[in-house]
Amino acid sequence: MDKLKLTYFDFNGGRAEPARLALHIGGIPFEDDRFAPAAFAEVRETTPLNQVPTLQVGNRVVTQSDAITRYAGKLTGLYPEDDLQALFCDEVMSAIEDVNVKIGASFGLTGEDLRKARAPLATDTLPRYLRWLQTRLESGGGAYLADNRLTIADLKALVTLRWISSGKLDYIPANLVATVAPKLAEYMDRIGSTPAIAQYYAKRAGA
């Protein structure tokens, strides 16, 4: 296998986290290249599209977080082989990326501008996506989002649901998931308790 190098910010969460988790769960060796947020201006100049994450596969550098996560899922068996289940997995991945983009659009704002941008997210946009995701979870049996097993869709959902619930997003209540989609809150806790995932974060806590 070609050597893998995954480059992203040095924090838990974000767009590279599902791929990090997948590679960890699957036992695939890779260089976890992390950099401080303050170094982003310098790092971005070395990337093909001035953005991260990037995945270096051998001598080739690949961009786009969902493509990277999907590749990691295929390497580790965490991406469905069945075409229909792969469609369900991809649908969830794309919807969650919509959420990331919509929240990300408010970054850089402060004060009243931030409040005005985040208010409709908290009252309309995020509840709509969360209820939809809860419906998808229930339609798949209530345990996983695709393929009746852990997939990269669950990893991406876990990362984003934890972010929304972190209390670190001003004007977005930390209890939003539990309030509008309680089964998703239970799901988030259960997926986060998966031994390989819990071990990963326990190890990161001591890093």
Side-chain angles (χ1 to χ4, degrees):
M1 181 185 295
D2 288 322
K3 181 179 178 181
L4 303 178
K5 178 181 178 181
L6 181 60
T7 299
Y8 196 63
F9 297 104
D10 186 14
F11 55 68
N12 293 332
R15 286 183 166 91
E17 193 78 347
R20 286 172 176 163
L21 286 170
L23 294 171
H24 169 75
I25 292 168
I28 302 296
F30 72 103
E31 181 181 348
D32 191 3
D33 179 31
R34 296 170 178 256
F35 60 89
F40 179 50
E42 179 180 352
V43 172
R44 70 186 304 175
E45 295 302 319
T46 69
T47 68
L49 296 175
N50 299 123
Q51 62 191 32
V52 290
T54 61
L55 179 68
Q56 183 173 337
V57 184
N59 294 321
R60 185 164 184 172
V61 177
V62 179
T63 69
Q64 303 304 317
S65 58
D66 278 354
I68 292 168
T69 298
R70 194 172 292 112
Y71 179 65
K74 290 178 179 180
L75 289 180
T76 58
L78 292 171
Y79 185 76
E81 295 184 3
D82 178 83
D83 289 341
L84 181 59
Q85 294 301 322
L87 173 63
F88 295 155
C89 181
D90 289 346
E91 178 192 31
V92 168
M93 297 265 290
S94 294
I96 294 173
E97 188 57 26
D98 284 351
V99 171
N100 290 338
V101 169
K102 291 176 187 300
I103 296 175
S106 65
F107 281 19
L109 301 177
T110 58
E112 185 64 10
D113 289 338
L114 179 61
R115 188 194 67 78
K116 288 181 177 179
R118 293 267 173 91
L121 288 175
T123 60
D124 177 47
T125 306
L126 292 180
R128 182 170 66 252
Y129 274 86
L130 292 171
R131 292 187 184 108
W132 174 86
L133 191 60
Q134 179 172 260
T135 299
R136 282 294 181 269
L137 179 65
E138 292 174 321
S139 68
Y144 301 102
L145 289 165
D147 216 23
N148 295 311
R149 65 185 181 93
L150 185 73
T151 68
I152 53 172
D154 299 299
L155 301 183
K156 183 152 185 166
L158 173 66
V159 170
T160 298
L161 291 172
R162 282 184 164 179
W163 185 38
I164 294 171
S165 305
S166 67
K168 297 178 180 179
L169 292 168
D170 291 341
Y171 306 109
I172 295 179
N175 65 347
L176 183 64
V177 176
T179 300
V180 306
K183 291 183 180 179
L184 270 189
E186 296 170 3
Y187 159 84
M188 175 180 63
D189 291 340
R190 178 169 49 79
I191 296 298
S193 296
T194 301
I197 295 175
Q199 290 165 7
Y200 172 83
Y201 284 114
K203 183 177 180 181
R204 283 292 306 156

